[in-house]
Amino acid sequence: MELEDIYRRDLNLLVALRILIEEGSVSKAAVRLNLSQSAMSRILARLRLLLDDPLFTRQGQSLIPTQKALDFNRSLATPLENLRDLLSPQDFAPQACQQKFTIAATDYATQTILPFALPRIYQEAPDIRLELMPLQHGQLTQQLTTQGADLAICRPTYAVAPLHSEVLGKVSVFCLVSKSHPLAEKTLTLEDYLNARHAMIAISDGVKALIDDALAEQPELKLVLRSYHLEAALAIINTVPLIITVPADLAYLVAKRYNLIIKTLPFRLEPFDYSMIWHDRCHHSPAQEWLRKVVKQECGKLIAERIEVMGIA
């Protein structure tokens, strides 16, 4: 039987069959289903027509199910219980969750934000699976719909409505130089910045556009390297006197790991919002709500701590 054929049948009748067998009485089944006795009798008549069987014989005041009725009831047990579980409101239990979550994130978010949320995520839900996919700003809506991403983490570069969004925190921008850089021991001035050689990384999440806007009246920067990966710039930073301009907490992380020096920008650049973005299909899911809550709490806390430590509030 095709699905459309099943759709044309009144499946509520099968629930009524189960209740009739449990109660052994048309009147008791009617009370349980909040129906009149005559309405319940009509349902029994429709059941007999649907299943092509008398279904019950009467013995005194009780209905005795036929073998076919018992066979149907036995077959209905599992699917009806599954439907009951599916339709019953349930509290989400992370410990029991075995769901796969797909997160579209920038390299910056993957390297500096998410790692601080992952330990708690897996501590609370050890059996989940996470898949991280590269975020593409121009394809954000498609990633959250047809490409199956449940959540995006990025700096929105345009209005994302009707998608849902929530700000994780504000992110500023710092510069990185090697300890051998001529400016390593100096306070970075605007003239120094304009005359230096630069590396720009796609990880910067549109930071280049922000810098270009802030320096619109100034000469174009001497861009020596533009790469999708920070490693390319780090490989030559001790050989070529470069300034790498990246989000502040990434600068903090990388400086510590590679023994580099952090410099503040010598011009005003407003800190920008870093956000979670998701589609309406995930909005009311208890599992998705839990994931967003953990990411918000852990990543938001990280961003706030970094802002305080680096004095960029």
Side-chain angles (χ1 to χ4, degrees), residues 41-76:
S41 295
R42 289 195 294 272
I43 286 175
L44 177 54
R46 291 169 62 196
L47 268 167
R48 284 169 168 158
L49 184 63
L50 175 66
L51 302 179
D52 192 25
D53 188 83
L55 298 177
F56 297 94
T57 58
R58 184 170 293 281
Q59 182 173 324
Q61 298 298 314
S62 298
L63 294 177
I64 306 300
T66 63
Q67 187 58 48
K68 190 168 185 178
L70 291 173
D71 291 342
F72 265 103
N73 186 53
R74 193 177 301 110
S75 299
L76 285 170

Side-chain angles (χ1 to χ4, degrees), residues 61-134:
Q61 298 298 314
S62 298
L63 294 177
I64 306 300
T66 63
Q67 187 58 48
K68 190 168 185 178
L70 291 173
D71 291 342
F72 265 103
N73 186 53
R74 193 177 301 110
S75 299
L76 285 170
T78 298
L80 286 180
E81 284 305 310
N82 288 343
L83 276 174
R84 194 206 304 262
D85 290 342
L86 183 65
L87 298 174
S88 297
Q90 295 180 351
D91 293 331
F92 174 69
Q95 284 286 336
C97 182
Q98 298 183 355
Q99 188 169 328
K100 174 185 172 184
F101 298 94
T102 301
I103 301 177
T106 60
D107 284 349
Y108 161 64
T110 302
Q111 289 187 34
T112 65
I113 295 181
L114 276 175
F116 288 86
L118 292 180
R120 180 177 162 194
I121 288 173
Y122 281 106
Q123 181 181 26
E124 293 187 12
D127 295 325
I128 67 160
R129 291 169 295 142
L130 279 181
E131 179 176 338
L132 305 182
M133 62 191 304

Side-chain angles (χ1 to χ4, degrees), residues 4-293:
E4 53 269 30
D5 295 321
I6 297 174
Y7 172 77
R8 296 186 188 100
R9 307 297 176 96
D10 187 353
L11 298 184
N12 285 334
L13 294 175
L14 300 178
V15 179
L17 173 64
R18 188 165 183 81
I19 291 176
L20 280 164
I21 291 174
E22 289 177 358
E23 297 296 340
S25 162
V26 170
S27 58
K28 290 179 180 178
V31 170
R32 191 164 160 187
L33 291 175
N34 197 26
L35 297 171
S36 67
Q37 185 164 339
S38 59
M40 195 70 223
S41 295
R42 289 195 294 272
I43 286 175
L44 177 54
R46 291 169 62 196
L47 268 167
R48 284 169 168 158
L49 184 63
L50 175 66
L51 302 179
D52 192 25
D53 188 83
L55 298 177
F56 297 94
T57 58
R58 184 170 293 281
Q59 182 173 324
Q61 298 298 314
S62 298
L63 294 177
I64 306 300
T66 63
Q67 187 58 48
K68 190 168 185 178
L70 291 173
D71 291 342
F72 265 103
N73 186 53
R74 193 177 301 110
S75 299
L76 285 170
T78 298
L80 286 180
E81 284 305 310
N82 288 343
L83 276 174
R84 194 206 304 262
D85 290 342
L86 183 65
L87 298 174
S88 297
Q90 295 180 351
D91 293 331
F92 174 69
Q95 284 286 336
C97 182
Q98 298 183 355
Q99 188 169 328
K100 174 185 172 184
F101 298 94
T102 301
I103 301 177
T106 60
D107 284 349
Y108 161 64
T110 302
Q111 289 187 34
T112 65
I113 295 181
L114 276 175
F116 288 86
L118 292 180
R120 180 177 162 194
I121 288 173
Y122 281 106
Q123 181 181 26
E124 293 187 12
D127 295 325
I128 67 160
R129 291 169 295 142
L130 279 181
E131 179 176 338
L132 305 182
M133 62 191 304
L135 184 134
Q136 301 173 33
H137 283 283
Q139 300 292 318
L140 181 58
T141 299
Q142 292 90 327
Q143 286 189 293
L144 291 169
T145 51
T146 57
Q147 296 178 29
D150 302 304
L151 186 66
I153 301 178
C154 65
R155 178 182 79 85
T157 56
Y158 52 85
V160 298
L163 297 171
H164 300 272
S165 65
E166 183 172 2
V167 175
L168 292 172
K170 287 193 175 295
V171 176
S172 191
V173 175
F174 275 5
C175 301
L176 289 171
V177 298
S178 71
K179 289 192 172 182
S180 62
H181 195 287
L183 301 173
E185 303 299 325
K186 294 178 57 179
T187 298
L188 188 63
T189 67
L190 178 57
E191 184 180 4
D192 291 333
Y193 191 84
L194 294 172
N195 290 329
R197 289 186 279 181
H198 291 265
M200 285 290 174
I201 314 300
I203 199 173
S204 302
D205 231 335
V207 166
K208 184 179 185 302
L210 295 176
I211 292 174
D212 287 345
D213 288 343
L215 299 177
E217 304 300 320
Q218 303 295 335
E220 188 174 346
L221 291 179
K222 298 174 182 178
L223 192 57
V224 172
L225 174 69
R226 184 165 190 178
S227 170
Y228 282 98
H229 300 288
L230 184 59
E231 286 75 9
L234 293 174
I236 61 172
I237 195 170
N238 289 314
T239 304
V240 181
L242 291 176
I243 293 178
I244 307 175
T245 306
V246 291
D249 54 346
L250 178 58
Y252 180 82
L253 185 69
V254 171
K256 199 171 183 180
R257 184 177 299 167
Y258 292 91
N259 199 25
L260 303 176
I261 294 175
I262 294 176
K263 299 285 185 181
T264 56
L265 286 175
F267 54 89
R268 180 68 178 170
L269 187 70
E270 288 293 331
F272 51 84
D273 289 337
Y274 227 79
S275 301
M276 296 186 296
I277 304 169
W278 64 96
H279 190 267
D280 195 56
R281 68 182 177 84
C282 298
H283 190 57
H284 298 291
S285 163
Q288 300 287 347
E289 289 174 349
W290 163 81
L291 178 65
R292 294 195 299 268
K293 181 190 75 173

